[in-house]
Amino acid sequence: MATTLPKPDPAGLSVIDEDYDLTPPARRNPYLVKYERYIYGAIGLTGFLVLWWAAVASGYVDKLYLSTPQDTFTALIDGLADGSLAQEIAPSVQRALIGFVIGLVAGIGLGIAVGYVRIVQQFLEPVLLFFRNLSLLALLPVFVVFFGIGEQSKIAIVVWACFWPIFITTVGAVNGVEKILLNAAKTLGAGRVYIFTRVVLPAAIPGIFPGIRLASANAFTALVAAELVGGAHGIGIYINNAALRYQTPQMYAGIITLGLIGILVNAVMTGVEHKATAWQRGLTNK
């Protein structure tokens, strides 16, 4: 039975014509609470596949431009089984990984220098602001001129795409370290090196990781553009060749492969971030 309380009127007298229901809300199913993310995700994915199939099956979109989900996944499985698609994965992952690591080192290194050393920021800020706003596609001919159409140009394009999100978030994270932490360390007699290694860097790490995750996604986005420059192997080359031959299922199979690799990379980076910032969650939960 619901518990009711009288509602006070503006004059301070109690009225009983309206009651408040203080019955606690029904408890949610613990199974749904635990797995609702996956349940809703599966429903959303199913709905997307149904709409995709309906768009092609109804004739609204020609099969020449969009293959059905069945044909696409058949081409994906066949490509992985016979090696025509599987052999393109390793070269692409290698290029993306090398470019990402170089961009990571350069982005964090220069970001710390710009964010922590004031005079470096004043000198480099106008130049970096200019290059930051340049389109990657506009720079493709420049990379080809300097590095040719071999591996160097592809890796350089990935480095460029990965560098900027890491650099920008690193500068922001270093600049955003709370002054109270720095002042407290100085008050206790800490030196500049100690403050940098024991205060600034640990406090900035959580703010740097969003840029690292974004850079890992950019690595594979830029990789497709890089591989279109030229080359013999790679997922981007596989997708482009399938499009030129009007092999629509194979083209979308390559795109799905690229997306699945991106999801896997994001999961790995999320796990790394979870481990690296566990100490911060421990502090904020207390």
Side-chain angles (χ1 to χ4, degrees), residues 115-150:
Y116 190 65
V117 183
R118 185 71 177 176
I119 190 171
V120 175
Q121 182 177 8
Q122 292 174 341
F123 273 117
L124 295 182
E125 186 175 17
V127 178
L128 294 173
L129 182 63
F130 170 78
F131 282 108
R132 171 190 172 186
N133 290 283
L134 292 179
S135 170
L136 175 63
L137 295 179
L139 292 174
L140 285 179
V142 177
F143 288 112
V144 173
V145 168
F146 275 91
F147 302 103
I149 61 173

Side-chain angles (χ1 to χ4, degrees), residues 23-215:
T23 304
R27 297 183 62 185
R28 299 179 63 188
N29 188 317
Y31 180 85
L32 293 178
V33 172
K34 184 176 181 180
Y35 297 104
E36 64 179 353
R37 175 184 177 185
Y38 304 101
I39 294 174
Y40 291 135
I43 294 174
L45 179 59
T46 302
F48 168 75
L49 292 175
V50 170
L51 291 176
W52 177 3
W53 171 83
V56 181
S58 63
Y60 185 78
V61 180
D62 195 291
K63 285 188 176 183
L64 183 64
Y65 308 114
L66 179 65
S67 60
T68 63
Q70 304 95 303
D71 293 340
T72 301
F73 287 107
T74 298
L76 174 62
I77 295 173
D78 291 343
L80 294 175
D82 62 21
S84 59
L85 176 57
Q87 67 179 355
E88 310 295 343
I89 296 177
S92 294
V93 172
Q94 181 179 359
R95 293 165 187 149
L97 182 60
I98 295 174
F100 172 75
V101 171
I102 297 175
L104 176 69
V105 174
I108 291 180
L110 190 57
I112 290 175
V114 172
Y116 190 65
V117 183
R118 185 71 177 176
I119 190 171
V120 175
Q121 182 177 8
Q122 292 174 341
F123 273 117
L124 295 182
E125 186 175 17
V127 178
L128 294 173
L129 182 63
F130 170 78
F131 282 108
R132 171 190 172 186
N133 290 283
L134 292 179
S135 170
L136 175 63
L137 295 179
L139 292 174
L140 285 179
V142 177
F143 288 112
V144 173
V145 168
F146 275 91
F147 302 103
I149 61 173
E151 292 297 308
Q152 291 82 0
S153 62
K154 297 176 178 58
I155 294 175
I157 292 171
V158 175
V159 171
W160 182 271
C162 294
F163 170 80
W164 292 108
I166 297 174
F167 169 75
I168 293 170
T169 54
T170 300
V171 172
V174 172
N175 279 331
V177 175
E178 295 184 12
K179 300 301 181 184
I180 189 172
L181 297 177
L182 302 177
N183 294 333
K186 292 177 182 178
T187 302
L188 295 174
R192 191 176 183 87
V193 175
Y194 183 92
I195 293 175
F196 176 73
T197 57
R198 300 298 182 89
V199 179
V200 175
L201 286 183
I205 286 176
I208 297 174
F209 262 100
I212 296 176
R213 291 177 60 185
L214 179 59

